[in-house]
């Protein structure tokens, strides 16, 4: 049998398909009829190329109905190469990050040397790592940066189960953002190309737009995430400092001076100082601008601040934290539109 001439069984073997599938494609008009030679039906290189095109489009998620329309456009002379180029552009990498490989031993070592089969199974299910076929104990890492984040979080004390749970939740939110971005660009940019089977020129222009717009989604998310983290992190730190300094604590045992501590000279603690009856000043007192009123600082808060910044810096820290809180609240009021 000469090169490029196949019986249906040979065509199935070379294309990775089956005889039944080839006949089904013929019945649906996806594949040209074979050539009749004597008593045999024979297929040529065009049939093999067409089968590979169909398989490629199926892998990319196209239905047989849409594939048929594309192939009919190709057969009518409107061209398919531009459309396939657009498909390849969309299916191409959306990041410059290069994948990596590592062994199970290397993976365990990065997470403290503890073997955790449950965590590995979770990572595989999430696609953070992918088993390498025919290489037991070896994994492909599609995004080394994502794995690095998990390593750093685990080193900081976050349990692996919490990391994978957070990633699963985050992934759902990010997919919603991606879908919204695609809806937006589809409506305002690509609708004119995809309302019908695109011409070669249309497909080429659309592919160029994909290349230009591809980084915009990540740039937008990076900028907005940075803005949100800056705002929320500052707010979260304020809340935690208030709790640590005891500013929200009411009267009680925490307001008493720690054993073995004395009020600083000149703070006005003790009898005759003008302190409210029944109250005792803690180891430090913060002054309020109006009337030089002394505000007791609970001993537990003073110790917490001392552990954080050192005994000699407690007063300066409390003063700076108070001033920053006052300024922050003033800025919040200025930034809030009047109702």
């Amino acid at each position: 049998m000469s090169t490029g001439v196949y019986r249906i069984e040979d065509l199935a073997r070379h294309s990775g398909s089956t005889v039944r599938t080839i006949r089904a494609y013929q019945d649906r008009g996806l594949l040209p009829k074979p050539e009749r030679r004597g008593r045999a039906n024979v297929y040529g290189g065009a049939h093999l190329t067409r089968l590979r095109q169909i398989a490629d489009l199926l892998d990319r998620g196209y239905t047989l109905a849409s594939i048929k329309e594309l192939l009919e456009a190709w057969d009518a002379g409107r061209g398919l190469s531009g459309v396939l180029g657009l498909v390849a552009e969309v299916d191409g990498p959306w990041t410059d990050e290069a994948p990596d490989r590592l062994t199970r031993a290397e993976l365990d070592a990065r997470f403290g040397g503890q073997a955790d089969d449950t965590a590995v199974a979770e990572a595989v299910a999430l696609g953070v790592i992918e088993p390498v076929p025919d290489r037991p104990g070896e994994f492909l890492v599609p995004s080394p940066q994502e794995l690095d984040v998990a390593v750093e979080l685990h080193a900081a004390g976050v349990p692996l189960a919490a990391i994978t749970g957070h990633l699963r939740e985050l992934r759902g939110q990010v997919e919603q953002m991606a879908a919204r971005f695609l809806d937006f660009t589809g409506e305002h940019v690509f609708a004119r190309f995809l309302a019908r089977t695109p011409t070669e020129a249309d497909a080429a222009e659309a592919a160029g737009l994909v290349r230009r717009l591809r980084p915009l989604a990540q740039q937008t998310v990076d900028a907005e995430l940075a803005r949100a983290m800056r705002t929320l992190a500052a707010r979260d730190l304020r809340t935690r400092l208030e709790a640590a300094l005891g500013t929200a604590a009411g009267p009680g045992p925490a307001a008493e001076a720690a054993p073995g501590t004395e009020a600083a000279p000149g703070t006005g603690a003790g009898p005759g100082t003008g302190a409210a009856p029944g109250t005792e000043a803690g180891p430090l007192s913060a002054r309020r601008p109006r009337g030089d009123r002394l505000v007791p600082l609970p001993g537990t808060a003073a110790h917490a601040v001392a552990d954080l910044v050192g005994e000699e810096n407690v007063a300066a820290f409390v003063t700076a934290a108070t001033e920053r809180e006052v300024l922050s609240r003033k800025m919040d009021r200025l930034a809030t539109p009047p109702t």
Side-chain angles (χ1 to χ4, degrees):
M1 182 175 296
S2 61
T3 303
V5 178
Y6 312 97
R7 294 176 301 175
I8 191 169
E9 295 82 2
D10 300 323
L11 182 64
R13 185 175 66 256
H14 282 84
S15 65
S17 185
T18 65
V19 170
R20 182 177 179 180
T21 298
I22 292 173
R23 288 177 173 153
Y25 288 166
Q26 288 177 180
D27 293 339
R28 299 189 65 156
L30 290 165
L31 194 66
K33 297 293 184 181
E35 180 183 349
R36 187 75 176 179
R37 291 190 182 178
R39 299 177 61 184
N41 291 326
V42 296
Y43 299 80
H47 293 90
L48 182 59
T49 299
R50 176 59 56 89
L51 284 171
R52 289 172 175 168
Q53 288 174 340
I54 294 171
D56 181 59
L57 290 169
L58 285 172
D59 287 342
R60 297 174 189 272
Y62 288 83
T63 65
L64 289 176
S66 59
I67 292 173
K68 182 179 181 181
E69 292 181 1
L70 289 172
L71 295 176
E72 286 174 350
W74 170 268
D75 292 337
R78 283 180 283 166
L80 186 62
S81 59
V83 174
L84 293 179
L86 173 60
V87 171
E89 193 68 48
V90 173
D91 282 352
W94 285 70
T95 176
D96 294 332
E97 188 178 12
D100 197 5
R101 288 195 180 198
L102 78 172
T103 64
R104 173 62 189 269
E106 292 170 334
L107 181 64
D108 291 342
R110 296 195 65 184
F111 287 92
Q114 294 290 332
D116 190 331
D117 292 339
T118 301
V120 170
E122 279 283 313
V124 170
L126 287 167
V128 177
I129 56 177
E130 300 174 0
V132 178
D134 303 323
R135 299 293 295 271
E138 188 171 336
F139 298 93
L140 176 71
V141 185
S143 174
Q145 292 179 2
E146 188 171 52
L147 184 64
D148 289 343
V149 170
V151 170
E152 290 298 327
L153 288 173
H154 185 258
V158 183
L160 288 174
I163 295 173
T164 54
H166 175 71
L167 177 58
R168 183 174 282 105
E169 179 181 358
L170 179 65
R171 182 168 293 178
Q173 295 169 347
V174 170
E175 287 177 354
Q176 290 181 359
M177 295 166 58
R180 180 67 189 93
F181 188 82
L182 290 174
D183 288 343
F184 173 78
T185 53
E187 177 183 356
H188 296 285
V189 179
F190 294 105
R192 65 182 183 272
F193 298 108
L194 303 178
R196 63 186 188 284
T197 302
T199 64
E200 286 285 313
D202 288 340
E205 185 178 354
L209 283 170
V210 170
R211 285 191 294 272
R212 285 170 48 198
L213 298 181
R214 178 180 289 164
L216 297 188
Q218 183 169 347
Q219 290 171 9
T220 301
V221 171
D222 286 348
E224 284 301 307
L225 180 61
R227 180 200 60 78
M229 287 298 295
R230 182 173 63 250
T231 302
L232 297 180
R235 186 183 306 166
D236 181 71
L237 179 60
R238 273 206 312 272
T239 302
R240 292 178 185 276
L241 284 176
E242 286 176 356
L245 294 172
T247 55
E256 299 178 0
T261 61
E262 298 179 0
T267 59
T273 61
T279 63
E280 296 179 2
L284 291 170
S285 297
R287 288 185 179 273
R288 294 184 60 183
R290 287 195 288 260
D292 289 336
R293 178 182 172 188
L294 298 175
V295 180
L297 183 67
T300 53
H303 286 306
V305 175
D307 291 340
L308 182 65
V309 300
E311 193 73 40
E312 69 280 5
N313 296 319
V314 171
F317 182 87
V318 172
T319 300
T322 303
E323 291 174 349
R324 182 168 62 179
E325 176 65 18
V326 171
L327 179 60
S328 174
R329 294 191 181 192
K330 182 178 179 180
M331 293 176 66
D332 288 344
R333 287 196 299 272
L334 291 173
T336 303
T339 57

